[in-house]
Amino acid sequence: MLDIKEEKIANKINFSVWSSVFKYIFKHAWVFIILVISMFLNTLLYDSLRPLLNNAAVNALDKGTIISWTNSKIPFTILGLNIELNMTTFLIATLGIIVINSIVTGAIMFLTHYLNVLIMSDMRKDSFKKIQELSFSYYDKTPSGWIIARVQSDTAKVSDTFAWGFIQLIWCAFEVIVTLVTMFSVDWRLSLIILAFVPLIIVIGPIFEVVILKLSRKVRAVSSNYVSWISECINGNKTIKSLGLEDKTSSEAVEIADEIKKRSIKLANVQAFFRPALNLISTATIATIMIVSSILMKRPDIGFEIASFVVFFNFIGQIYNPLLDAADILSDILSTQASVEKIMSLLNTKPEIQDSKEVIEKYGDIFNAKNCEEKIKGKIEFKNVCFSYLEGVEVIHNLNKVIEEGTSVAIVGETGSGKSTTVNLLCRFYEPTSGQILIDDIDYKDRSLGFLRSKIGFVQQTPFIFNGTIKDNIKYGKLDATDEEVIDACKAVDIDGFITSLPNGYDTKLEDGGNELSTGQKQLISFARAIVRKPSIMILDEATASIDTETEAVIQKAINKILVGRTSIIIAHRLSTIVDCDRILVMKDGVVIEDGNHKSLMALNGYYHKLYMNQFKEFNIDKQIELEDTLK
Ligand SMILES: Nc1ncnc2c1ncn2[C@@H]1O[C@H](COP(=O)(O)OP(=O)(O)OP(=O)(O)O)[C@@H](O)[C@H]1O
Ligand SMILES: [Mg+2]
């Protein structure tokens, strides 16, 4: 059944969370400074000078100093200076303000968008760099969808809210402050009326915004769960059909659609009342201004000007609109706060496996490796190695083994016995909880991660094919490999013939994980990728497990070739593939219980012997069944 998870919404702005985003603005301080100056200029012109000019014009009309176009006097005071405008200069000034305002507003929009893009791009670069640095243990604990959501959508959401939210908040503040000063300079009594209604806006606006935010979250929560549920139904289509679950899934779909409808209607109801409620407040303000103005106008002794009454209609909008915008922005900021927290939790995560300062100084970090040319012989030593993925659950117990350079060692054992864990430790994807791993008698932590991995060729059960050409895919093994090196690697694993038979040869594009190739061909490409870097240590973890027995012969031939002259560790369930190895380590429950070559282990008549004989029997039974099938 669909499980609807709703995120909690913050109820106040946490500046310490947002402060970590401010550092992205400081990187682009010049954009920010130009923006602030432009917003201030814009507000001065549009929210102060323009209404003051209007006030002067209406006053002139009222006092009868505008008789005709040519006979017009509009007295105007600015910064203590008395200027006398006529109709032409008044219109030029008004037009000038509108034109400059449009240009400056355009510039503000552009710069805000520009800042948005800059912040998003910086955050994405930092997040991507971080996910490259993080260790396997992080990926064990964190679902990939969570990480993708942080890098993809949260970075966009946060930069958007930051640029269009915090920046616009400054603009709103300028508008309110400039309008207040201008308003009071025109008429303090009407200003007080507007101010008296402001608390209502300040209270009602955010309340509505937060309720709308919560309701829209509820709609979004059920809708996004619906999307993932649908994708599950599509991907699991075969299983649904084979289990006859169509009826159940269809009635669940109806249930969810009804839930979306119910939640959406609730949201629409609240949204429908939001604007009318605010309109009511501004209407009440207008009515009060009208009543008070009419009372004041009847008293010539207190010097009330009718022009003030006219311009104050504008001031209502100039004060209320930015306050409402601010409420909008506030709810945006609150709704985005959780995203900031998540991005920052990703960016602030320290990789569990890191090189020491001294090692980085000598070998560089994973992004700038240096001094990796030094050759190694490939002797491996596990010294008192213990390891736990989860605290208190040890999966490798006191492993003590030396693997001599150039030898081939197989690790066998039942599922979950710790074979992959052992090679993961060797690749330093995880580090021993206690004990040491030495390569050529040197603790592998004394050389960098980059150094170690450049010496290891690692082939897994499921070959991973990147989007790109065959050549690109092989060059991922050694980015600066020449075309000759790529071809040599392919020849070594006998895939060159197949590649050159393709119309585009090495430039054949592989997409969607190389669907156009068979599993065996993909595996041979991943072999070529592993050996193009000429590793001293080769690790194969179930490299032949997904391959049918016919292809296995081809792969086995390739394996035999690539292991020559290298220390190699081969993990295999099918024991027939490892009988020729120099040495076989038999693992059970995280302990190596037998150690020898095929012959000596068979002679030992222990666990390996049992495993081998069982497989031998199964193999013969399979052959028997095949034979019977063909005879039928
Ligand atoms: N990422 C992980 N987090 C927690 N426990 C794990 C993790 N990976 C493996 N384990 C546990 O560690 C033990 C050893 O697992 P490992 O993958 O090394 O076995 P294996 O011998 O390679 O098995 P298989 O033959 O099935 O590949 C198992 O009990 C497994 O459940
Ligand atoms: Mg395994």
Side-chain angles (χ1 to χ4, degrees):
M1 181 52 208
L2 185 73
D3 174 26
I4 300 163
K5 291 192 189 83
E6 284 163 25
E7 277 181 28
K8 276 200 175 155
I9 303 169
N11 49 17
K12 62 174 193 273
I13 300 179
N14 183 341
F15 285 99
S16 75
V17 167
W18 283 98
S19 66
S20 39
V21 188
F22 273 96
K23 78 167 197 245
Y24 288 96
I25 279 213
F26 296 144
K27 271 175 86 178
H28 309 287
W30 63 272
V31 184
F32 179 67
I33 292 168
I34 299 175
L35 256 173
V36 172
I37 295 172
S38 311
M39 289 190 295
F40 190 61
L41 181 72
N42 187 288
T43 321
L44 275 186
L45 285 176
Y46 204 73
D47 296 318
S48 182
L49 196 57
R50 188 185 54 94
L52 286 178
L53 273 174
N54 288 348
N55 187 44
V58 180
N59 232 336
L61 270 175
D62 181 41
K63 302 245 162 67
T65 56
I66 300 176
I67 295 152
S68 67
W69 189 275
T70 44
N71 187 3
S72 55
K73 284 188 195 128
I74 305 174
F76 179 63
T77 309
I78 181 166
L79 302 171
L81 276 175
N82 291 321
I83 308 167
E84 197 169 82
L85 301 169
N86 57 34
M87 276 308 280
T88 312
T89 47
F90 169 78
L91 285 179
I92 291 173
T94 307
L95 210 68
I97 288 174
I98 293 170
V99 170
I100 296 172
N101 171 67
S102 307
I103 296 170
V104 178
T105 305
I108 293 172
M109 294 298 152
F110 169 75
L111 288 173
T112 310
H113 197 75
Y114 185 53
L115 195 64
N116 180 0
V117 174
L118 290 179
I119 296 174
M120 181 172 71
S121 148
D122 287 351
M123 278 186 156
R124 284 197 174 153
K125 282 182 203 159
D126 284 357
S127 319
F128 193 76
K129 195 168 176 212
K130 180 55 79 175
I131 60 177
Q132 296 295 299
E133 282 172 355
L134 289 169
S135 322
F136 267 36
S137 50
Y138 184 82
Y139 292 96
D140 288 344
K141 288 177 268 182
T142 321
S144 56
W146 189 94
I147 303 174
I148 294 168
R150 301 302 67 86
V151 180
Q152 182 58 30
S153 44
D154 280 351
T155 46
K157 205 162 145 195
V158 170
S159 56
D160 210 50
T161 308
F162 207 72
W164 295 103
F166 277 101
I167 303 288
Q168 303 286 309
L169 217 50
I170 300 177
W171 200 356
C172 291
F174 281 158
E175 277 182 313
V176 172
I177 294 166
V178 167
T179 305
L180 274 177
V181 173
T182 315
M183 219 164 73
F184 272 93
S185 77
V186 175
D187 192 294
W188 63 270
R189 292 152 299 202
L190 299 189
S191 303
L192 286 180
I193 295 173
I194 293 186
L195 271 192
F197 283 91
V198 162
L200 273 181
I201 297 275
I202 292 180
V203 172
I204 292 181
I207 289 180
F208 263 100
E209 290 289 358
V210 170
V211 173
I212 290 174
L213 176 66
K214 283 191 175 158
L215 292 175
S216 50
R217 268 286 172 89
K218 281 177 187 268
V219 175
R220 268 215 308 272
V222 70
S223 309
S224 68
N225 278 271
Y226 191 38
V227 173
S228 54
W229 182 78
I230 288 179
S231 97
E232 197 178 300
C233 288
I234 294 171
N235 292 333
N237 182 273
K238 264 191 190 159
T239 317
I240 289 173
K241 284 194 189 312
S242 63
L243 295 173
L245 293 174
E246 292 95 334
D247 186 30
K248 184 178 180 290
T249 46
S250 302
S251 52
E252 277 178 10
V254 171
E255 199 184 314
I256 301 160
D258 281 347
E259 186 62 31
I260 296 177
K261 186 175 75 186
K262 204 172 87 193
R263 292 181 185 208
S264 304
I265 291 174
K266 226 176 183 177
L267 172 66
N269 283 342
V270 180
Q271 274 172 332
F273 280 101
F274 184 32
R275 283 289 151 183
L278 298 169
N279 285 345
L280 216 62
I281 300 173
S282 54
T283 314
T285 318
I286 293 170
T288 319
I289 286 181
M290 284 168 102
I291 294 165
V292 173
S293 299
S294 62
I295 295 168
L296 294 175
M297 268 187 261
K298 283 184 199 148
R299 300 266 312 268
D301 55 310
I302 54 173
F304 180 74
E305 290 174 342
I306 190 147
S308 316
F309 171 68
V310 177
V311 288
F312 262 75
F313 280 105
N314 280 337
F315 286 144
I316 296 173
Q318 276 180 226
I319 289 280
Y320 289 176
N321 287 341
L323 287 176
L324 289 176
D325 289 346
D328 237 5
I329 294 167
L330 176 81
S331 81
D332 254 7
I333 291 175
L334 290 178
S335 80
T336 313
Q337 201 154 289
S339 299
V340 182
E341 281 168 8
K342 286 183 208 152
I343 295 181
M344 289 308 150
S345 86
L346 171 71
L347 291 178
N348 294 332
T349 307
K350 292 245 171 312
E352 269 181 36
I353 297 173
Q354 264 180 315
D355 288 319
S356 66
K357 236 170 116 190
E358 299 73 45
V359 169
I360 291 178
E361 254 167 43
K362 188 166 172 205
Y363 292 97
D365 59 20
I366 54 167
F367 301 107
N368 303 295
K370 54 183 186 189
N371 297 332
C372 289
E373 310 76 39
E374 197 184 321
K375 292 253 177 308
I376 61 158
K377 291 185 186 131
K379 179 184 171 194
I380 302 164
E381 182 173 358
F382 292 91
K383 213 170 169 183
N384 305 323
V385 170
C386 297
F387 178 72
S388 324
Y389 287 104
L390 310 167
E391 234 181 278
V393 189
E394 199 174 88
V395 291
I396 300 290
H397 314 288
N398 203 26
L399 179 63
N400 278 297
K401 287 289 161 200
V402 178
I403 298 173
E404 294 301 340
E405 63 178 88
T407 53
S408 59
V409 175
I411 307 182
V412 302
E414 63 190 26
T415 183
S417 55
K419 306 179 295 291
S420 298
T421 306
T422 307
V423 293
N424 283 343
L425 287 169
L426 176 59
C427 293
R428 219 177 144 199
F429 294 144
Y430 300 87
E431 281 176 353
T433 322
S434 64
Q436 268 183 313
I437 296 178
L438 300 107
I439 309 275
D440 289 357
D441 301 316
I442 299 173
D443 190 327
Y444 74 168
K445 289 187 198 167
D446 291 344
R447 288 189 287 209
S448 69
L449 282 160
F451 177 89
L452 174 75
R453 296 191 185 143
S454 70
K455 307 298 170 210
I456 295 180
F458 187 30
V459 180
Q460 289 153 291
Q461 178 174 346
T462 326
F464 187 84
I465 299 292
F466 295 92
N467 278 341
T469 63
I470 293 183
K471 196 196 292 168
D472 294 339
N473 261 283
I474 295 165
K475 281 193 177 183
Y476 275 115
K478 184 179 177 224
L479 295 176
D480 57 356
T482 60
D483 286 359
E484 283 69 41
E485 284 177 304
V486 171
I487 295 169
D488 285 348
C490 290
K491 281 187 176 157
V493 296
D494 284 337
I495 183 84
D496 174 68
F498 164 73
I499 298 173
T500 46
S501 73
L502 296 169
N504 292 320
Y506 281 86
D507 294 319
T508 305
K509 276 213 171 318
L510 302 178
E511 272 156 28
D512 275 340
N515 275 342
E516 52 278 76
L517 301 176
S518 73
T519 316
Q521 286 158 349
K522 281 193 257 184
Q523 195 57 294
L524 288 175
I525 286 179
S526 78
F527 281 172
R529 185 196 293 157
I531 61 161
V532 74
R533 55 167 64 184
K534 302 189 177 71
S536 309
I537 300 171
M538 190 78 196
I539 299 172
L540 309 177
D541 188 353
E542 305 279 8
T544 55
S546 327
I547 288 158
D548 56 65
T549 24
E550 272 166 46
T551 321
E552 192 180 317
V554 181
I555 302 279
Q556 195 58 47
K557 208 171 123 207
I559 291 179
N560 293 340
K561 275 193 186 172
I562 64 178
L563 298 189
V564 177
R566 302 193 160 95
T567 311
S568 40
I569 299 185
I570 305 128
I571 298 177
H573 268 291
R574 246 179 260 166
L575 301 182
S576 57
T577 58
I578 51 94
V579 287
D580 293 329
C581 284
D582 298 327
R583 198 169 151 202
I584 298 166
L585 303 179
V586 186
M587 286 195 89
K588 191 166 192 287
D589 300 332
V591 178
V592 176
I593 52 165
E594 288 173 16
D595 178 355
N597 60 23
H598 175 70
K599 221 168 142 192
S600 69
L601 291 180
M602 288 304 278
L604 195 68
N605 203 8
Y607 189 71
Y608 178 80
H609 180 269
K610 204 168 105 195
L611 279 181
Y612 188 82
M613 290 319 284
N614 280 346
Q615 281 196 8
F616 189 70
K617 266 188 240 153
E618 268 173 35
F619 179 76
N620 281 334
I621 290 168
D622 285 348
K623 285 273 166 213
Q624 185 70 32
I625 294 170
E626 256 175 51
L627 193 68
E628 281 168 14
D629 282 350
T630 38
L631 288 175
K632 266 184 206 166

